[in-house]
Each structure stands twice: as C-alpha cells, then as structure tokens.
C-alpha cells in the first residue's frame, strides 16, 4: 500500500498527510515532494538535511523558475517533455504552473502536442505512469491494479484507453497511455480532481501499426490487435475488477476504435458509473454551442434540420446528443431522428447500404425511397454533401470528417440562401484537416453564420464587426462532468446529466453582442467546470442517481476541488527506515 495517508477531519485548507517516507524516497514521491520549498524543520524531520541546497524557496518562486525553464525549451514537443518530467517529480508545482498558464500550456500537455509524445513514447520512455494491463495476461489485472497502492476509498476516477483511434493519428499502441495521463492532467487543472485519487490505464490489446511492431524499441505487446471474444473478455475483466476494487470511481473511456467505443459504452453505461468522452463529451460540447446559437438565432431546437458530415464515432455522438435534446424538448425518438441527415465516405447514409453501415449509423440511415429522385453524384452511386445540402436546406452543418476544405463556398452559400442564421461547425482538427476556416464561413455568409470550430481560431473582422470564434473543446465540458459525478457519487452518468452540463456551459456565454463567441474561453476552465459540476450533481440527485446527500451542492463542489498547494506532512517513519 502507499506509504502516505491523507488525514481527514481537519479544518485546515491544506491537505495533511501522514508519511512513512524520508530522505531520497520522499524526494522521489511526486505527490509529496516540495523540492527546495521544504522548510528547515521539515528537512530535519524527514531526513532531508544536506540533500537539498541551503535556500528555502516559496511555491511562487518555484513557479517563476519553472516557467523560465519552460520558455527555454525549443519547441512544443520539448515543452511537453519538460512538463511531463516536472509532473513526475513535483505534482503541486506542475499544477500550479499549469493553472497560471492554462491557455498557453493546455495544447502542450494535451491536444495537439500530445500526439507527438505518443508517437515518440517508446523512444522517449523515461518513467512509467499509471497501470498497464495486457490482454496476454488478463489474470494479472487485479494484481496490477492493486500494485498501484490504492484502497477502495482512495480512487475517484480511472481514464482507460486501448489507443486504437487517437486524435486523428490512429493506432499507436502502448504510447496511448499518454492520452490517459494527459486527460487526467486536464481533469485536475480544469476541475480540481485530486491527482492522488486518479489512475491512468493502458489496455494493451496489441497494435496493427507495422512501424511499431518492427521497431526494436517498442515496449508494448508486439502482436496484432486482438479482437472478438478474447478482447471483450479482457474489457469485461477490467470493468469488473476496477469497479470491485474502487467502487466509488468513475470509469472514463478514451480513444477506442469505432467498432468498440459505442459497443463498450452501451454494454456498461446503465450498470456502472461510466462514459465515453469521444462519443458523449464531444456531442455535449457541440450541444452547448448549439444552445447558444439557437438563442442568437431565436429558433427552437425542434425545428432544426441537421446535416452531419463525417458519421464516425464523433459525428454520430454529436447526432445522439442533439437528438436527446430534441426529445427532451418534446419530440419522440422517431420524430427527432428524422431531423438528421448523416453523410460519410460513401455519401448520405441510406437504409439499403447493408453491411456498409456500422451498427451505430443504422438508426440515422435515411429511407432509400425518400431520395430516389436525388442526384446520385458520387463515383459509386452515393449522394454527395453538396446534393444533401441542396435538397435538405439544413439549418445546421456539423463537420467531423477530417476532410479538409469540404465545406466549399458553393455549399455554404447554398445553405445560407435558405436560412437566416446558418449554424456551421467545422469541428475536425488539427487545422489542416478543417472542413472550412472560420473566416471563409463568415465571409461567404455575409457575417450571418454562427460558427464554432474544433481548433482555436483567431477572431474574424468583417464589415466592422469582430466575430469571436468559440472552440468546441471537450475540456470545457468533461472535467465538470467528472467533478459533478464524483461529488454526487452518481451510480450512472445519465443523458440528463449531459444535457444539464451542456446547458451550464452555454449559460456562461453572453451572446447579446454581435459577433460574440458561442462558447466560453478556455482561460475560464476552473469557473466553467465548477458551474457544470453543480448542474451535473443536482441532476444526478433529481434523477435519484446520487449516492450521497447534497445539502449545499455549490459548497460541496468547491470543497471537492483540489488546489495546487503543498500539503502539511506529519511523520510516521518506521524505526530504522531512514537512510
């Protein structure tokens, strides 16, 4: 078990730990290490005298020094490595630095720079972080999770990936652990999830990337990805073991392939506390932007005609969340489904496509008879995005295709000819994969388009009005969702909790001014997350999913948010254990 234990029942704002470590062992424990901020008394108590330079510095002074070191790194990948090394040595300093430079560092610790870290993981390997579970040894799952050293009340959140479909870069095997680590760093920075109460998990099922399998330095399972019954049994063993060992924890799924992501989610979501950010979180932050856009356009969600371009995990995840919102507004499931036209690589999804449709696409496939008189203008007889827009006259166009430039001027102008305030979200990232730029969309619609993008976009000035472009960044949503779920100890993460969180994000935007952003700025992540958490927790309580009493939910959320400040350490060093 861990050689430190949090002490509860104190009114002190600082955490207090009883510690069974001293000397170099204490300096190597990132949750407890204070570096040269250890006081003279602490150095004497914990056998650190002579192991640190004489001066005692403050946390604020350490942050200034660390930021200077960060700025000296030559590029973003090296900045990512620097931050990872800092996190491995001193968690509090890492998060204090991150909290003071959130906007600058978020793209470095996560998307897009984390993609480089993943690709270079085996070559840059320095220190393991998290738990690595192998499909070749499912019998070791319990032993592996227990070896993390946490008891049943010590863990609030596990983020797990099998790394099959990462950030548009695909299958990168064991390097995907960086996704789980990065996601948890955002949870802590944005919502104050205690970093000592989380576990990043790598579910190593192999890899189909030949360059990894042939790389002598690759440190993951050196075989093709396992699928079928053996894979399902591996996932099931993980779920059952994790929920038994950590019964209060939320299980977060990240970057699973389209053949598994939704299937796993649907299998477990009604039985345990779990969600998939790629499927549900992506849809929720898009829904938040839609709520703001509808307020600006003064239209009703029940009246929207929605074209989704890119009907994969993210695209159908968007459709699902919007459809749920339509149903909550009074439409039946069948009525709401008829408001969607989903276009993928084969064109408009139709009910006569058979095995060409994935199971999660089937509900949105349009009747073939409905479109028999449309132009089948694609090489294999499919119906193109341009034809769909011409026939449907959509009010919303959402892109998750990673097909650059596909929202062409002619398509956008065709859409804008039939709706006063076209809602257009090119959400693909990185920049070179966007369906259209924000500036083009504003120009082509004479300033009428309501735009959000998947990457940070510069403001667009057009005919004297400056349009601030909101980024549909999941970090605006999932940290607050996680915090609210943890505070309420929800037994499940319900559709209602997602919708409540999306509305909470939208409510933090003042869209009265012309050109105002549809979403909050990521500089305000802590505030956004706290507000989302309150609404999520209250919804969990109203839906009878909360497993604790919420007497003052706003205060309970604030109390749950970990702050980056050094803890008070009390010694329980065993006799003779000092070096």
């Amino acid at each position: 078990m861990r050689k430190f234990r949090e002490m509860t029942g104190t009114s002190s704002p600082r955490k207090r730990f009883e510690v069974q470590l001293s000397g170099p062992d204490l300096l190597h424990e990132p949750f407890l290490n204070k570096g040269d901020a250890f006081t003279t008394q602490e150095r004497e108590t914990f056998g650190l005298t002579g192991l640190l330079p004489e001066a005692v510095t403050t946390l604020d002074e350490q942050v200034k020094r660390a930021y200077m070191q960060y700025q000296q790194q030559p590029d973003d990948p090296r900045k990512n490595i620097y931050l990872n090394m800092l996190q491995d040595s001193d968690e509090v300093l890492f998060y204090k630095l991150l909290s003071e430079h959130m906007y600058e560092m978020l793209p470095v610790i996560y998307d897009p720079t984390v993609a480089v870290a993943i690709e270079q993981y085996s070559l840059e390997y320095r220190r393991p972080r998290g738990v690595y579970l192998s499909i070749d040894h499912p019998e070791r799952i319990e032993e592996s999770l227990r070896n993390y050293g946490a008891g049943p009340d010590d863990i609030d959140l596990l983020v797990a990936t099998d790394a099959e479909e990462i950030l548009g870069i695909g299958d990168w095997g064991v390097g995907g652990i960086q996704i789980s680590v990065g996601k948890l760093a955002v949870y802590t920075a944005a919502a104050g999830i205690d970093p000592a109460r989380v576990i990043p998990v790598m579910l190593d099922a192999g890899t189909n990337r030949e360059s990894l399998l042939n790389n002598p330095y690759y440190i993951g399972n050196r075989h093709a990805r396992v699928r079928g019954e053996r894979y399902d049994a591996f996932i099931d063993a993980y779920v059952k073991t994790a929920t038994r060992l950590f019964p209060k924890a939320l299980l977060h799924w990240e970057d699973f392939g389209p053949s598994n992501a939704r299937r796993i989610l649907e299998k477990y979501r009604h039985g345990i506390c779990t969600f998939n950010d790629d499927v549900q979180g992506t849809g929720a932050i898009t829904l938040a932007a839609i709520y703001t856009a509808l307020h600006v356009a003064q239209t009703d969600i029940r009246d929207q005609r929605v074209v989704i371009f890119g009907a994969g995990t993210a695209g159908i995840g968007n459709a699902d969340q919007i459809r749920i919102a339509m149903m909550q507004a009074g439409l039946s499931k069948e009525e709401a489904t008829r408001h969607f036209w989903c276009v993928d690589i084969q064109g408009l999804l139709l009910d006569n496509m058979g095995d060409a449709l994935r199971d999660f696409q089937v509900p949105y496939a349009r009747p073939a008879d409905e479109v028999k008189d449309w132009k089948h203008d694609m090489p294999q007889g499919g119906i193109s995005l341009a034809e769909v827009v011409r026939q449907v006259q959509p009010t919303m166009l959402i892109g998750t295709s990673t097909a650059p430039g596909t929202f062409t001027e002619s398509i956008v102008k065709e859409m804008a000819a039939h709706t006063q305030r076209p809602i257009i979200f090119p959400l693909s990232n990185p920049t070179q994969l966007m369906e259209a730029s924000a500036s083009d969309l504003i120009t082509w619609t004479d300033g009428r388009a309501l735009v959000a993008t998947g990457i940070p976009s510069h403001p667009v000035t057009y005919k004297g009005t400056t349009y601030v472009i909101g980024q549909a960044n999941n970090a605006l949503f999932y940290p607050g969702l996680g915090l609210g779920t943890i505070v309420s100890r929800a037994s499940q993460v319900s559709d209602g909790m997602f919708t409540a969180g999306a509305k909470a994000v939208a409510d933090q935007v003042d869209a009265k001014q012309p050109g105002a952003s549809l979403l909050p700025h990521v500089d305000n992540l802590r505030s956004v997350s706290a507000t989302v958490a309150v609404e999520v927790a209250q919804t969990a309580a109203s839906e009878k999913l909360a497993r604790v009493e919420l007497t003052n939910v706003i205060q309970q959320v604030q109390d749950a948010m970990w702050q980056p400040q050094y803890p008070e350490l009390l010694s329980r060093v065993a006799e003779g254990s000092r070096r």
Side-chain angles (χ1 to χ4, degrees), residues 435-467:
E435 290 82 7
S437 69
S439 59
D440 281 344
L441 295 175
I442 296 296
T443 301
W444 294 339
T445 61
D446 197 29
R448 292 185 289 120
L450 295 163
V451 180
T453 57
I455 53 94
S457 294
H458 295 296
V460 177
T461 299
Y462 178 78
K463 291 187 176 180
T465 299
T466 297
Y467 298 84

Side-chain angles (χ1 to χ4, degrees), residues 302-307 319 323 326-327 331-342 363-367 370 374 392:
R302 294 171 295 184
D303 299 327
Q304 305 308 305
R305 298 180 302 280
V306 185
V307 170
R323 182 173 68 170
M326 289 179 172
M327 292 162 59
L331 297 182
S332 69
K333 188 173 185 178
E334 293 73 21
E335 290 171 332
T337 303
R338 290 198 292 272
H339 286 251
F340 292 86
W341 290 261
C342 297
Y364 293 99
R366 305 294 300 196
E370 174 186 276
W374 294 17
V392 172

Side-chain angles (χ1 to χ4, degrees), residues 111-112 167-169 402 404 427-435 454-456:
D111 186 20
L167 298 172
I169 64 173
T402 66
L427 300 181
S428 293
N429 62 76
T431 304
Q432 60 267 28
L433 300 181
M434 290 179 67
E435 290 82 7
I455 53 94

